[in-house]
Amino acid sequence: MKNLIFINGTMGVGKTTTSKILQKQLPKSVFLDGDWCWDMYPFIVTEETKKMVIDNITYVLNNFISCSEYENIIFCWVMHEQSIIDDVLSRLVTRDCKVYKFSIICSEEALIARIKEDIKHGIRREDVIERSVPRLQCYYNMDTEKIDVSNISPNEAAEIIYKQVISYGGTTS
């Protein structure tokens, strides 16, 4: 049985950092950041590009699932609507997978502080704050396990996920 781990949250909350740490903790793991599937310039969001990115994500995830070398598949992306998670999952062959869904959440103050730190290091632009903060509330009513990172590090968030995956029959080989 493979572990398929979805991690969502608004921009700047720490999904990618947490996922990369988790990838190193779990054996035979592979990591996909949904943003990699439509890293384009200029960034264009249309019905066509949204369809393309979902197709790209599900293609890659299904390949990871079907590859015998991987036991743990970690996927992170904003996924600010339950319908996005449901759409991706509906296209995956998960019969031999235990699916985990986590939302990384935090206070508005913590999110702004994290994004400002990223801006200072040239990782993000200022406009991310106005796009990310309003999406915080989207994650509270989703069918996911919530991890509040307002006062914990990405290492601690990864450890919470790791313990849940391992305690529910995950592998540590």
Side-chain angles (χ1 to χ4, degrees), residues 93-111:
V93 181
T94 60
R95 67 181 163 271
D96 294 323
C97 295
K98 170 75 175 136
V99 177
Y100 299 86
K101 298 175 282 183
F102 297 95
S103 290
I104 306 290
I105 58 172
C106 69
S107 68
E108 184 175 325
E109 297 77 21
L111 179 62

Side-chain angles (χ1 to χ4, degrees), residues 36-102:
W36 299 340
C37 293
W38 68 347
D39 186 359
M40 64 181 104
Y41 184 83
F43 187 70
I44 301 166
V45 179
T46 65
E47 288 308 311
E48 181 183 14
T49 61
K50 287 194 275 187
K51 179 188 178 312
M52 176 206 62
V53 74
I54 297 291
D55 289 347
N56 288 346
I57 287 167
T58 56
Y59 180 82
V60 172
L61 288 175
N62 273 319
N63 277 339
F64 288 159
I65 290 168
S66 68
C67 182
S68 66
E69 293 299 323
Y70 303 121
E71 294 175 5
N72 296 287
I73 300 140
I74 304 160
F75 170 59
C76 82
W77 199 29
V78 171
M79 295 184 283
H80 63 290
E81 297 172 354
Q82 183 68 44
S83 62
I84 298 169
I85 294 172
D86 295 343
D87 186 23
V88 171
L89 279 171
S90 75
R91 298 169 185 228
L92 300 178
V93 181
T94 60
R95 67 181 163 271
D96 294 323
C97 295
K98 170 75 175 136
V99 177
Y100 299 86
K101 298 175 282 183
F102 297 95

Side-chain angles (χ1 to χ4, degrees), residues 129-157:
I129 294 172
E130 64 194 44
R131 290 185 290 124
S132 185
V133 169
R135 286 191 174 171
L136 265 174
Q137 295 307 310
C138 297
Y139 300 93
Y140 287 91
N141 295 321
M142 296 182 110
D143 179 25
T144 57
E145 178 82 23
K146 311 307 180 276
I147 301 173
D148 189 332
V149 298
S150 299
N151 298 304
I152 66 171
S153 69
N155 281 311
E156 292 168 300

